[in-house]
Amino acid sequence: MHTSNALDPQSPQARAIYDLGIVSTIVFVLIFVAVTGAIVYAIFRFRGREGEPEIIWTAIPFLIVVFLFVLTLRGMNRADPPPAPSPDLVVTGHQFWWEAQYPASGAVTANEIHIPIGRPLSVRLDSKDVLHEFWVPELARKMTTVPGQLNHIWLQADKPGIYIGQCSEFCGTQHAWMRILVVADEPWKFEEWQRAQLQPGQAPTSDIAAKGLALFQTSTCINCHAIRGVTGADARVAPDLTHVASRRQLAAGILENTPANMRRWLKNPQHIKPGVLMPDFNFTDQELDELGEYLETLR
Ligand code: CUA
């Protein structure tokens, strides 16, 4: 199972936040011990006597605050430098999933973000509906996505791996199932993935799949989902399905992406993820087979 641990930073940005947290905690513990100790000592030692010069008790906290302020500025500089003029990645929050676009190549995907390791990516954050919050604890700070206001973070991973993120601003019934998978790979592997994502959707390879495609075009699927290369399928309301079968999870993390789960999902999305914007279509078993088989070809 993949992890999501704010105490295990895997990028320079996340490490800057972690380091600041550790130093601050040490300072706070020292202050706690010193103050508690001083109170206990004073209670027994200085009953009813005149105090020491008060300047010491003002100067010490002042110096501690200055020390932490300087460290915080340094941490902010490392974790959150100003954005690049043009983003490497645009992530948009939707109820209840994430869209990821790579402006330079034109690749579009959902809920599973691939990045090359070893270099910071400038990420622009947007929202289509309400406030969401993009947070991949091991890689970067958290940041709210706001409709009409573009925010920004830097995303980087030092080593290959799959890092779990989560929407961390309550955004509706399925807020808990707005997972993000960040798949960090060697740069050549990332390029390979990106080239594959740029291909149009695989044409049906069997009669059943061809019927599935026809069903996709004649049902309301096409009103929300895009499949590049399929006539009329260019809506951007719901996740782009051009390479849906290549993704690890369905419905923003609620199901592993297997043929059986895809079929379950198509059969009854409202049962699996109540409140999701995809309605139940009451497909027949045969229609589920056709649609399922077609979607499985979209690798
Ligand atoms: Cu999106 Cu919480």
Side-chain angles (χ1 to χ4, degrees):
M1 194 54 205
H2 317 304
T3 60
S4 174
N5 183 355
L7 300 179
D8 184 20
Q10 297 292 331
S11 75
Q13 295 79 5
R15 208 167 296 115
I17 296 168
Y18 174 80
D19 291 347
L20 181 61
I22 292 296
V23 174
S24 304
T25 306
I26 291 171
V27 172
F28 300 151
V29 168
L30 290 177
I31 292 172
F32 177 77
V33 170
V35 169
T36 323
I39 290 172
V40 170
Y41 179 72
I43 286 172
F44 291 103
R45 183 75 179 72
F46 299 107
R47 291 180 194 202
R49 282 202 230 154
E50 285 300 306
E52 278 142 31
E54 290 222 348
I55 184 72
I56 295 176
W57 302 112
T58 310
I60 292 174
F62 178 75
L63 290 177
I64 291 170
V65 170
V66 167
F67 171 68
L68 288 178
F69 178 68
V70 170
L71 279 192
T72 303
L73 284 184
R74 268 187 43 192
M76 285 165 69
N77 223 8
R78 281 167 62 202
D80 197 23
S86 54
D88 300 300
L89 187 59
V90 178
V91 174
T92 307
H94 296 254
Q95 283 175 315
F96 301 97
W97 61 284
W98 299 95
E99 180 182 42
Q101 296 164 261
Y102 298 75
S105 68
V108 179
T109 184
N111 304 319
E112 185 177 304
I113 297 169
H114 287 238
I115 63 171
I117 57 165
R119 78 176 176 91
L121 267 72
S122 184
V123 182
R124 182 179 287 169
L125 294 168
D126 195 0
S127 169
K128 269 283 172 294
D129 35 47
V130 298
L131 298 182
H132 302 275
E133 193 161 65
F134 183 87
W135 192 32
V136 186
E138 280 155 324
L139 302 184
R141 62 167 298 182
K142 56 165 82 169
M143 179 57 86
T144 309
T145 71
V146 185
Q149 186 205 307
L150 299 174
N151 277 339
H152 175 270
I153 57 161
W154 288 92
L155 193 61
Q156 176 172 353
D158 292 336
K159 44 182 202 234
I162 296 176
Y163 303 93
I164 291 185
Q166 170 67 52
C167 179
S168 49
E169 172 99 33
F170 182 74
C171 56
T173 46
Q174 287 298 340
H175 156 70
W177 284 109
M178 250 186 99
R179 290 276 174 92
I180 310 137
L181 285 188
V182 175
V183 181
D185 275 320
E186 300 289 344
W188 65 266
K189 224 174 153 189
F190 165 76
E191 290 302 335
E192 206 168 73
W193 171 85
Q194 184 163 244
R195 267 196 301 278
Q197 295 292 309
L198 289 169
Q199 300 299 313
Q202 166 76 48
T205 45
S206 69
D207 284 354
I208 300 181
K211 284 183 184 157
L213 169 58
L215 197 56
F216 180 87
Q217 288 178 294
T218 50
S219 310
T220 47
C221 315
I222 204 164
N223 294 349
C224 297
H225 291 284
I227 298 180
R228 228 165 322 121
V230 170
T231 314
D234 50 14
R236 296 283 288 276
V237 178
D240 185 301
L241 299 180
T242 311
H243 298 286
V244 61
S246 73
R247 302 204 278 259
R248 288 162 173 77
Q249 298 181 326
L250 292 175
I254 204 163
L255 293 172
E256 291 294 306
N257 189 3
T258 63
N261 280 341
M262 176 68 90
R263 201 176 186 288
R264 278 177 64 204
W265 173 250
L266 294 169
K267 189 178 168 72
N268 200 343
Q270 290 298 328
H271 178 74
I272 292 166
K273 192 172 175 181
V276 69
L277 299 191
M278 176 156 153
D280 290 344
F281 290 100
N282 302 311
F283 289 121
T284 64
D285 277 354
Q286 193 191 332
E287 287 171 332
L288 289 171
D289 289 343
E290 293 165 359
L291 213 44
E293 179 142 337
Y294 172 57
L295 293 176
E296 283 311 315
T297 63
L298 299 178
R299 301 225 142 252

